[in-house]
Amino acid sequence: SQTIHQWPATLVQPVGSPLSLECTVEGTSNPNLYWYRQAAGRGLQLLFYSVGIGQISSEVPQNLSASRPQDRQFILSSKKLLLSDSGFYLCAWSVPGAGQPQHFGDGTRLSIL
Amino acid sequence: AQSVAQPEDQVNVAEGNPLTVKCTYSVSGNPYLFWYVQYPNRGLQFLLKYITGDNLVKGSYGFEAEFNKSQTSFHLKKPSALVSDSALYFCAVRASNAGKSTFGDGTTLTVKP
C-alpha cells in the first residue's frame, strides 16, 4: 500500500533562518506531489505542485521554493524565514489524472520566532 | 477558472441526527468533486468523490454526497451523526482539464452527545 512520510512534525525556527521540509512517498511511481500551507486550521493554500522530477509549478510568489530531486521525494525550502511563514505545512500525493484524490501527510507545524 | 464555496463555517448537530455539510462549485466543463475530513493536527483524509454516473456517491465512514448539476452543489450527508464525526470538512473541485484542485475554506462539524 502507499504511504506518505512528512517530517519533522513540529519545528520552531528563528526569523531569518533557513528551512528544509521533506516529504517522501512509498508504494507508487510517478506521483503528482503537492505542498500546501494551512493557516489557523482553515483553508489550504497551494504552494507548489510537481508532475515529475525537476518539474515544479509555483502557485504563490514568496520566499519559499520547492524541489523534486527524486521521483518520490519533495522538498520545501527557504533561505530566510519570515514571521509570515508560520503555519501548518502539508504534503500530498496523487495518482496522475484529474479524477484522482489527493493523499496527505500529517503535516509539519512551523513556528517562527 | 474553478472555485468552491462552503457557505457555513460551523455546523452543529446532535448525535443520531442526520447531518449535511454544504458545498457549491463553479467550473468550466465537467467537474470532479471531492470531500475530505481533517482531524486536529492531522492531514486531510479522502472521504469520497464524484466523477461521473450516479448522482449519489457513497464513501468512507457512512458518508455520502449528492451531486446536483443544476444547482452546482455537492453536499455531504450522513443519516446518523456520531460524536467521532466532529472534525473539519473540506470540499474540493477540479475541472477535467485543470492541473490542480481548488479547496473550499472548510466547515467545522460539531456533533454533540
Side-chain angles (χ1 to χ4, degrees):
Chain A
S1 64
Q2 303 92 350
T3 56
I4 180 169
H5 302 281
Q6 198 180 335
W7 68 92
T10 60
L11 187 61
V12 180
Q13 292 284 95
V15 171
S17 63
L19 173 73
S20 180
L21 301 181
E22 188 165 343
C23 171
T24 61
V25 181
E26 296 178 357
T28 187
S29 296
N30 196 31
N32 288 349
L33 296 172
Y34 309 83
W35 278 112
Y36 291 89
R37 179 167 58 203
Q38 184 178 29
R42 299 309 302 186
L44 299 178
Q45 179 185 33
L46 179 63
L47 301 175
F48 303 95
Y49 70 97
S50 171
V51 298
I53 295 174
Q55 301 178 62
I56 309 294
S57 296
S58 175
E59 293 295 304
V60 182
Q62 55 203 339
N63 69 321
L64 299 173
S65 63
S67 62
R68 184 171 178 174
Q70 300 181 45
D71 181 45
R72 289 169 288 179
Q73 184 184 28
F74 206 22
I75 298 172
L76 182 69
S77 303
S78 174
K79 293 182 179 178
K80 285 187 176 183
L81 286 167
L82 306 173
L83 284 174
S84 57
D85 291 323
S86 293
F88 191 46
Y89 287 82
L90 291 161
C91 180
W93 73 271
S94 71
V95 173
Q100 298 296 330
Q102 294 179 36
H103 306 279
F104 288 76
D106 277 338
T108 294
R109 188 162 302 282
L110 175 63
S111 299
I112 310 299
L113 303 179
Chain B
Q2 57 190 29
S3 65
V4 61
Q6 294 182 241
E8 301 158 315
D9 285 344
Q10 178 96 28
V11 171
N12 298 312
V13 298
E15 187 174 28
N17 283 0
L19 70 86
T20 299
V21 182
K22 296 180 180 178
C23 171
T24 59
Y25 67 90
S26 175
V27 68
S28 299
N30 294 323
Y32 296 149
L33 294 155
F34 307 85
W35 275 103
Y36 296 84
V37 61
Q38 184 181 30
Y39 296 98
N41 298 311
R42 302 295 301 275
L44 281 67
Q45 296 177 37
F46 167 66
L47 282 177
L48 51 80
K49 67 178 181 181
Y50 172 83
I51 303 300
T52 187
D54 194 348
N55 289 342
L56 185 64
V57 178
K58 293 187 183 296
S60 306
Y61 312 118
F63 284 95
E64 57 190 27
E66 187 168 11
F67 172 67
N68 187 315
K69 187 174 183 178
S70 63
Q71 297 185 6
T72 62
S73 66
F74 189 56
H75 300 332
L76 181 69
K77 300 181 180 184
K78 188 174 182 181
S80 179
L82 300 173
V83 172
S84 57
D85 292 329
S86 299
L88 183 57
Y89 289 80
F90 290 95
C91 181
V93 65
R94 182 172 176 176
S96 56
N97 60 353
K100 53 183 171 46
S101 296
T102 298
F103 285 78
D105 287 337
T107 298
T108 299
L109 172 68
T110 302
V111 181
K112 297 181 179 178

